[in-house]
Amino acid sequence: MAKPMTKTQLVAALAEKMDADKKTAGTAIDSIVEIITSEVSGGGAVTLPGVGKIYCRERPERMVRNPATGEQFKKEADKQVKMTIAKALKDSVNS
């Protein structure tokens, strides 16, 4: 398995694609992350065409078990960030 792309590598690749400097590309990535974070934390969803959909799912209160002690306890309801991968991305990876 290949190593994941770092933010520095992503900024450099985006700057090259945009024919812009790294500072502009870094600002663009930071802005996109900020927009996605605010939208999803507010209960909305964001679709990145060709990549997927990022959304927040609420999980109900439930019983869980501590694997170290075997003790069961009630875990409060919480939220979980999920991502559904776009069919186009799945197809490109599997071809």
Side-chain angles (χ1 to χ4, degrees):
M1 185 170 151
K3 291 176 80 174
M5 182 181 266
T6 65
K7 182 179 178 182
T8 305
Q9 293 168 331
L10 181 60
V11 167
L14 182 61
E16 188 177 317
K17 282 277 191 188
M18 291 174 41
D19 290 327
D21 60 349
K22 290 181 182 178
K23 184 176 181 182
T24 304
T27 303
I29 289 174
D30 291 341
S31 298
I32 290 170
V33 169
E34 200 174 299
I35 291 166
I36 291 171
T37 302
S38 67
E39 184 66 26
V40 172
S41 65
V46 176
T47 300
L48 299 171
V51 176
K53 179 179 177 181
I54 303 170
Y55 59 96
C56 185
R57 187 189 90 162
E58 293 192 25
R59 294 195 302 188
E61 185 177 273
R62 62 200 180 279
M63 294 299 290
V64 295
R65 186 177 66 86
N66 180 340
T69 63
E71 174 191 6
Q72 284 198 340
F73 59 96
K74 188 178 288 188
K75 185 169 181 183
E76 299 297 320
D78 61 354
K79 295 179 182 178
Q80 184 178 33
V81 177
K82 302 290 260 178
M83 181 167 184
T84 304
I85 305 301
K87 184 176 181 336
L89 181 57
K90 286 181 192 176
D91 292 343
S92 69
V93 169
N94 290 320
S95 62

